[in-house]
Amino acid sequence: MWGMASQLSDATIEAISIYYAAQAPSRAKTGDAKLMARGKQIFEEGVTSQGIPACATCHGPEARGNNIFPRLAGQHEVIKDLSQDQMRAVATYLESLSP
């Protein structure tokens, strides 16, 4: 995201920030129980065998953001090391959380 965002003016960044800050979080969804359980485990514990820390460490226990870390919204940093199945599990779990 930095590659694209670094080209934006301060005014554009402020306008985008205002827009996204005003958006209501999505409603919680239910999903496959087994997939949600795996996603919750990854979110809360990480994947130590892959050197992936728990998502909750930075993003808070309910993914609502924590200090400088935002709500989870397509973050590309640590998630790049997850497999597609792991990403799907975490996304399914996050969708189940109340906003």
Side-chain angles (χ1 to χ4, degrees), residues 2-3 19 21 24 30 33-34 39-40 46-47 51 54 59 74 81 91 96-97:
W2 178 247
Y19 170 80
T30 57
K34 187 174 181 179
K40 181 178 182 185
V47 184
H59 296 279
D81 296 324
S96 75
L97 296 177

Side-chain angles (χ1 to χ4, degrees), residues 17-91:
S17 298
I18 291 168
Y19 170 80
Y20 280 107
Q23 301 307 301
S26 300
R27 293 184 158 201
K29 296 180 184 178
T30 57
D32 178 87
K34 187 174 181 179
L35 196 57
M36 285 172 47
R38 178 69 179 130
K40 181 178 182 185
Q41 180 182 16
I42 293 169
F43 181 83
E44 293 177 347
E45 301 172 19
V47 184
T48 55
S49 64
Q50 292 176 239
I52 297 171
C55 307
T57 302
C58 297
H59 296 279
E62 295 178 0
R64 292 186 178 156
N66 188 17
N67 296 322
I68 64 169
F69 294 94
R71 284 182 182 268
L72 289 177
Q75 297 295 311
H76 62 80
E77 294 165 6
V78 174
I79 199 166
K80 70 179 175 43
D81 296 324
L82 292 175
S83 70
Q84 289 293 318
D85 289 339
Q86 290 168 327
M87 286 184 215
R88 191 173 299 109
V90 172

Side-chain angles (χ1 to χ4, degrees), residues 1-10 13:
M1 185 87 185
W2 178 247
M4 295 184 323
S6 66
Q7 305 301 310
L8 301 175
S9 69
D10 289 345
I13 292 170

